[in-house]
Amino acid sequence: MKKATWPKHSILVIAIIATWLTTYIGYITSFSMKIDNVMQEFILFINPLSFLLFIYGLALFMKNEKRRNIYIFSISLLTSIVMFSNAVFYRFFNDFITLPVLFQTSNFGDLSSSVGANIHPWDIFFFADVIIVALAIKFIRVSESSQSQRSIGRKLYFVVAATVLMVNLGLSEAQRPQLLTRSFDRELLVKNIGTFNYHIYDLFIQSKTHAQRALADGSELAEVANYINANYAEPDPKMFGIAEGRNVIFVSLESLQSFVINNDMNGHEITPFLNELTNDPDTFYFDNFYHQTGLGKTSDSEFIVENSLYGRNGGAVFFTNSGNTFNAMSEKLGENGYFTSVMHANNRSFWNRDIMYQALGIQKFYDVESYEIGEGQAVNWGMKDIPFFEQSVELMKTMPQPFSTRMITLTNHHPFDLDEEDMIIPAYDSNSKTLNKYFQTARYMDESIKIFFEELKKSGLYDNSIIVMYGDHYGISENHNKAMGMYLDKEITPFDNVELQKVPMFIHIPGNGKGETVHELSGQLDIRPTVLHLLGIDTKEDMQLGADIFSPDHEPFVIFRDGRLVTEDYIYAHEVCYDIKTGEPTEGAACEPYIERANTELGYSDLIINGDLLRFTDKDKIKEQE
């Protein structure tokens, strides 16, 4: 009996549908990805399709049926292996495979040692499409088509594939603006563009970085070193080493801007404890201090504080350059006898921290697995700040001393949601729900800092520590200018938007008694040299762009990643030079020297990062080239 014939590309269609469905079912059964709404579910459903259409579609150019079938079968096997590998890896690391991970033998070794325990019997499902494709190839007989039909069919096919990709990216961008430029979370990428496209994107990012790195030979360091040496600020002898030997505790104040300090909202004090701290005799409060982050947000602030370099323009260094050599503050503290760590009750892979922290010389990462999150203790992106601080102090008691740890808070994070029992003050009453809730979460953060100080005192750690607290980045964006204008009772201009980038900065040294409000214009790049000098650690030979704020030679000049800048006399924003005293535009020529300087400094920072120049840091060689 003669076999029935199927349309020419039936096996191709079966392969695409089979792999698409096994991939989607694999998503929902093997990966604990949080889906918040129907649109996210739809994006998760369609995101494998564009890649599968393109990769399987190459079979359309193969005239030989046997080769075409071998190719289709090979792709189904390859995609199944990719999904299976990610599933096994995810069970152990709660993360997706990246190229840097594959090249880090310690991580790969950990996975290999536990691979047996992480393979489940039902993982055979990942190869269901392979079985279906094999059966289709064996039993389905297809008809032939004419040359003209093949040509028209291929064109139409790839138009459809491109359309699916554009729809996927468009919907993803609507759900998460700047998704690909703010590629900080691998799970977020997989949820939106799919596992296969994510791996292609990861390959692109790493290849681009490695290509720039490959072109560098170290000769560029001499010019950068000359610039850094010319702008080095000698520490104030009265301040150098005043906290020598103490533990140093950094607190990254999530999304906290300076406009809430010493201010109220409809008669309610927003940050009463921090307000008291501004007048504390043991506290140096910096009221003219700016964040300098870009698209990397919190990860940028971490990078800047650690390295006194700028983040990358258009991406997060934590993601794009995690394989670089750095001269981070944590590494330097470790060389000086400190135990170094980060404490953050969130997923360890967020912002690629698990990989980047190793590059920064951080010895221990206390992530969400280090904390016990009880009922009612979670909000937004992780653990509420009050239980986070309480449990963190308990963890600090077990650390070798002296230690340096950086604590990253979470509650005051967009969208600024808060449980009713944690609302100490009422919401604001503007047209912006974001700003309305912001005051409540900022008040909660303030209360958490108060409790943190109390717990430190109870633990016995307080007196032998120095506490450095700083806002990591803005919380209220320019999209809420109308509401901010209502709160500040003024129309918000580009000048005001720059002023609103001020974030609070505190250095609290128990028992010092010489605290004051420091009005010196400064920014996050200055934290590294300032703190290291307070601890009595020299930084003269370090490749850093910031300067000690307490130094008489500190230059009052702040540069933003996007090219905006602030000096004692001017603010430059959106190609307009403003007089800082009046807030009004002034002659553009007044800002030109500062613009040139800003471009030079940003360029040097990019040169160091993109070329991975610190791997060439041989001081004798640099001096010879000078």
Side-chain angles (χ1 to χ4, degrees):
M1 184 176 177
K2 190 176 180 181
K3 285 185 179 180
T5 58
W6 291 51
K8 169 74 173 178
H9 298 298
S10 295
I11 295 175
L12 174 65
V13 173
I14 288 170
I16 292 170
I17 294 174
T19 304
W20 179 16
L21 293 179
T22 53
T23 301
Y24 173 68
I25 295 171
Y27 283 163
I28 61 179
T29 58
S30 297
F31 305 99
S32 55
M33 295 186 287
K34 184 182 178 183
I35 303 298
D36 296 323
N37 53 53
V38 174
M39 182 55 71
Q40 286 186 7
E41 187 69 54
F42 179 70
I43 292 171
L44 188 70
F45 176 66
I46 68 166
N47 69 35
L49 185 56
S50 62
F51 172 83
L52 297 176
L53 286 171
F54 278 111
I55 196 70
Y56 274 120
L58 296 178
L60 294 172
F61 295 94
M62 300 176 186
K63 297 179 180 179
N64 183 281
E65 182 181 357
K66 183 178 180 180
R67 290 181 180 177
R68 185 166 61 241
N69 288 341
I70 290 174
Y71 174 79
I72 292 172
F73 178 82
S74 299
I75 294 300
S76 69
L77 181 61
L78 178 62
T79 54
S80 295
I81 291 172
V82 168
M83 287 297 296
F84 167 72
S85 301
N86 273 285
V88 175
F89 190 86
Y90 191 91
R91 286 171 194 146
F92 188 76
F93 290 104
N94 196 37
D95 200 356
F96 294 91
I97 296 172
T98 67
L99 286 178
V101 165
L102 292 178
F103 290 112
Q104 290 184 355
T105 56
S106 59
N107 284 354
F108 190 74
D110 289 340
L111 177 61
S112 299
S113 64
S114 62
V115 66
N118 287 287
I119 294 177
H120 297 165
W122 54 84
D123 285 338
I124 189 65
F125 173 77
F126 284 111
F127 296 89
D129 59 322
V130 179
I131 298 171
I132 292 170
V133 170
L135 293 173
I137 291 172
K138 183 173 179 62
F139 294 108
I140 290 179
R141 180 185 177 189
V142 297
S143 61
E144 292 296 324
S145 57
S146 67
Q147 179 64 39
S148 60
Q149 286 176 323
R150 286 199 295 267
S151 177
I152 295 171
R154 282 198 300 262
K155 291 177 182 178
L156 181 60
Y157 176 93
F158 284 103
V159 167
V160 171
T163 301
V164 172
L165 177 61
M166 291 300 102
V167 169
N168 184 181
L169 291 176
L171 293 176
S172 299
E173 186 74 12
Q175 286 285 302
R176 184 67 181 185
Q178 298 176 319
L179 174 68
L180 297 182
T181 53
R182 291 186 59 195
S183 49
F184 50 85
D185 186 5
R186 292 183 285 275
E187 185 170 297
L188 193 66
L189 286 168
V190 171
K191 282 199 301 185
N192 283 281
I193 64 174
T195 306
F196 309 121
N197 285 331
Y198 154 70
H199 284 300
I200 292 174
Y201 180 71
D202 181 46
L203 177 63
F204 167 76
I205 291 293
Q206 299 303 325
S207 298
K208 182 180 178 182
T209 300
H210 292 158
Q212 292 172 321
R213 184 180 185 276
L215 294 174
D217 61 9
S219 61
E220 306 91 341
L221 269 176
E223 182 181 350
V224 180
N226 283 334
Y227 178 85
I228 290 173
N229 292 335
N231 291 283
Y232 176 73
E234 292 284 350
D236 183 344
K238 296 178 181 178
M239 299 297 292
F240 187 82
I242 65 171
E244 186 173 356
R246 293 195 186 209
N247 305 315
V248 56
I249 302 170
F250 295 91
V251 182
S252 177
L253 304 171
E254 173 63 43
S255 302
L256 195 66
Q257 292 170 251
S258 291
F259 73 85
V260 299
I261 304 295
N262 290 317
N263 214 339
D264 68 88
M265 182 276 298
N266 291 340
H268 299 278
E269 197 173 9
I270 306 165
T271 56
F273 180 73
L274 292 179
N275 295 348
E276 289 179 16
L277 214 56
T278 64
N279 297 309
D280 189 286
D282 292 336
T283 300
F284 294 94
Y285 171 58
F286 302 80
D287 65 354
N288 201 15
F289 182 88
Y290 289 82
H291 83 85
Q292 294 173 280
T293 64
L295 291 176
K297 295 299 172 67
T298 300
S299 77
D300 268 8
S301 75
E302 291 188 77
F303 178 78
I304 292 167
V305 169
E306 284 281 358
N307 298 282
S308 193
L309 298 171
Y310 298 89
R312 287 190 62 207
N313 188 27
V317 179
F318 266 46
F319 190 88
T320 59
N321 296 82
S322 59
N324 276 21
T325 296
F326 296 103
N327 181 24
M329 177 165 55
S330 288
E331 181 181 353
K332 196 172 184 75
L333 287 169
E335 293 169 352
N336 283 269
Y338 278 79
F339 170 74
T340 60
S341 67
V342 171
M343 314 183 84
H344 185 37
N346 195 5
N347 187 329
R348 69 187 297 106
S349 75
F350 200 75
W351 284 117
N352 207 33
R353 287 186 174 102
D354 51 344
I355 295 173
M356 187 63 169
Y357 284 173
Q358 295 180 45
L360 298 178
I362 294 165
Q363 298 166 24
K364 175 74 173 177
F365 181 16
Y366 297 90
D367 70 336
V368 67
E369 299 299 324
S370 300
Y371 295 84
E372 295 182 10
I373 304 179
E375 186 176 351
Q377 291 186 336
V379 68
N380 292 337
W381 297 75
M383 193 179 194
K384 292 179 181 178
D385 290 344
I386 289 177
F388 166 68
F389 280 122
E390 291 172 337
Q391 292 188 33
S392 293
V393 173
E394 291 300 313
L395 291 171
M396 286 181 198
K397 292 179 183 179
T398 67
M399 295 180 184
Q401 296 191 50
F403 64 76
S404 168
T405 190
R406 182 168 66 253
M407 311 175 74
I408 303 175
T409 61
L410 273 171
T411 306
N412 192 44
H413 195 295
H414 185 272
F416 310 112
D417 291 328
L418 204 61
D419 291 335
E420 189 172 350
E421 63 266 24
D422 297 316
M423 296 178 181
I424 303 172
I425 61 175
Y428 188 47
D429 53 357
S430 74
N431 66 337
S432 167
K433 291 181 180 179
T434 298
L435 182 62
N436 294 349
K437 295 186 292 183
Y438 179 78
F439 292 105
Q440 293 180 306
T441 52
R443 176 66 184 88
Y444 176 89
M445 173 187 279
D446 180 82
E447 191 68 18
S448 73
I449 297 294
K450 176 183 176 181
I451 291 172
F452 172 53
F453 271 62
E454 292 171 352
E455 292 297 315
L456 277 178
K457 292 174 182 177
K458 291 178 187 176
S459 72
L461 293 168
Y462 175 78
D463 290 328
N464 192 40
S465 299
I466 170 177
I467 305 164
V468 181
M469 303 188 296
Y470 56 92
D472 61 350
H473 55 77
Y474 67 78
I476 305 301
S477 71
E478 296 180 22
N479 294 329
H480 304 279
N481 275 353
K482 186 175 181 180
M484 279 299 300
M486 173 182 167
Y487 174 71
L488 297 175
D489 194 25
K490 63 183 299 187
E491 182 180 351
I492 305 299
T493 67
F495 172 89
D496 297 309
N497 281 324
V498 171
E499 287 279 87
L500 285 170
Q501 304 315 304
K502 287 181 181 177
V503 294
M505 163 72 167
F506 301 84
I507 298 180
H508 183 76
I509 310 175
N512 175 258
K514 298 180 181 179
E516 61 177 335
T517 297
V518 180
H519 303 301
E520 178 79 359
L521 173 63
S522 55
Q524 288 174 334
L525 266 79
D526 299 325
I527 292 178
R528 182 189 191 275
T530 302
V531 173
L532 288 176
H533 288 173
L534 291 175
L535 297 175
I537 300 172
D538 182 58
T539 67
K540 187 170 179 60
E541 300 299 322
D542 294 355
M543 298 291 284
Q544 58 186 12
L545 291 169
D548 184 344
I549 306 173
F550 292 114
S551 170
D553 300 325
H554 179 270
E555 184 180 5
F557 186 36
V558 170
I559 302 168
F560 296 92
R561 178 61 264 190
D562 59 9
R564 291 179 297 174
L565 59 86
V566 183
T567 75
E568 286 185 304
D569 301 312
Y570 305 105
I571 282 180
Y572 176 73
H574 297 290
E575 301 184 335
V576 177
C577 188
Y578 294 89
D579 186 302
I580 206 162
K581 293 183 177 66
T582 66
E584 297 298 324
T586 187
E587 291 294 327
C591 285
E592 286 180 4
Y594 302 107
I595 297 169
E596 183 177 352
R597 164 82 180 278
N599 290 336
T600 297
E601 191 159 305
L602 290 169
Y604 283 146
S605 181
D606 287 342
L607 198 61
I608 291 171
I609 296 167
N610 295 338
D612 190 13
L613 296 187
L614 297 185
R615 63 195 157 116
F616 301 114
T617 309
D618 182 329
K619 297 180 177 62
D620 294 331
K621 188 179 292 185
I622 294 172
K623 288 177 181 177
E624 288 175 7
Q625 292 170 348
E626 292 173 359

